[in-house]
Amino acid sequence: FNTFNSFHGQVKKLNYYSYVQYKRGDGWRENSNFEQVGAFVGLEYAFSNRLKLSFDYTNMHYLSQQAGGLRDEDFEIDPRSSNRERNWFRVNWNLAALRLEYQMSEKVMWYSRTFGLLANRTSLGLQETPDVPDPLSNRDLIDGTFKNIGNETRFVYQYKGLKGLQNTLLVGTRIYRGVTNFSQGFG
């Protein structure tokens, strides 16, 4: 099952676009299914024809049951089978960006974008060799969190060069900080 719904429009100087998508599926193999929800909102406000402020936000949540536990011989007998029913994978992310664009003159533009990510990734399952069916004992848990923030600012200058050719000079900076934490143990 998959559904995608979006809407967009403009109210005076504000443009907007958003969507929500939902997916769900039962896998071809036993113990393999998934569910995903994604959403996006984008707003852009034009203070004038030279100055714009934009904001984007994206969220995605994904949960998947992971089939597993087959040796080659098992696969030859029944490729749709699975010896493990407790393997899971989950992702949740949040992305945001704020942009400011200023056309200072016909030839000079200033652009700044601040962005960030808050996300996590978790997997839970048996990491034994494939010939071991799910023994209903402790599984391995791998959990990670991600926190990132940054800014990119640049000046763009358009000018005529030798023989009248169009040239672009771009000067900018980027600052970024990312923190990732992982833990692993019995789940």
Side-chain angles (χ1 to χ4, degrees):
F1 177 79
N2 181 15
T3 180
F4 179 87
N5 302 280
S6 69
F7 67 95
H8 61 89
Q10 182 173 349
V11 177
K12 296 184 181 179
K13 295 182 177 187
L14 177 68
N15 284 301
Y16 58 88
Y17 173 76
S18 81
Y19 72 79
V20 174
Q21 182 175 27
Y22 175 76
K23 297 181 194 180
R24 181 185 73 235
D26 297 320
W28 182 76
R29 296 177 67 191
E30 294 177 31
N31 305 317
S32 64
N33 58 69
F34 70 91
E35 184 175 60
Q36 177 180 332
V37 179
F40 172 82
V41 174
L43 303 170
E44 180 181 272
Y45 188 82
F47 292 95
S48 69
N49 60 353
R50 294 173 48 172
L51 181 62
K52 293 179 188 174
L53 179 65
S54 304
F55 174 76
D56 295 335
Y57 172 73
T58 305
N59 173 266
M60 195 269 292
H61 178 76
Y62 177 76
L63 178 64
S64 170
Q65 185 179 20
Q66 308 273 295
L70 291 185
R71 299 170 296 159
D72 290 344
E73 298 82 21
D74 300 326
F75 185 81
E76 291 296 326
I77 295 168
D78 184 4
R80 296 184 76 158
S81 67
S82 167
N83 291 332
R84 301 198 182 139
E85 60 187 40
R86 299 183 312 137
N87 289 351
W88 295 90
F89 180 74
R90 180 180 65 204
V91 173
N92 188 33
W93 69 11
N94 298 282
L95 294 160
L98 183 66
R99 292 183 313 277
L100 187 61
E101 296 179 32
Y102 180 47
Q103 189 75 41
M104 300 172 78
S105 71
E106 187 177 305
K107 296 181 178 185
V108 180
M109 185 181 117
W110 178 78
Y111 170 91
S112 183
R113 180 174 74 108
T114 301
F115 52 90
L117 165 75
L118 292 173
N120 66 359
R121 173 198 175 279
T122 304
S123 63
L124 179 64
L126 188 65
Q127 295 185 0
E128 296 287 332
T129 57
D131 60 340
V132 177
D134 194 342
L136 299 178
S137 63
N138 286 331
R139 295 167 288 168
D140 291 307
L141 172 67
I142 303 172
D143 187 44
T145 59
F146 310 89
K147 296 177 184 175
N148 303 331
I149 191 166
N151 176 274
E152 177 179 294
T153 300
R154 57 188 171 194
F155 286 92
V156 180
Y157 175 60
Q158 305 282 337
Y159 64 96
K160 298 277 186 187
L162 297 175
K163 298 183 181 179
L165 295 174
Q166 184 66 37
N167 287 278
T168 301
L169 173 67
L170 185 143
V171 177
T173 63
R174 177 179 271 202
I175 184 168
Y176 174 82
R177 176 172 164 85
V179 176
T180 301
N181 291 307
F182 268 97
S183 59
Q184 182 171 357
F186 290 124

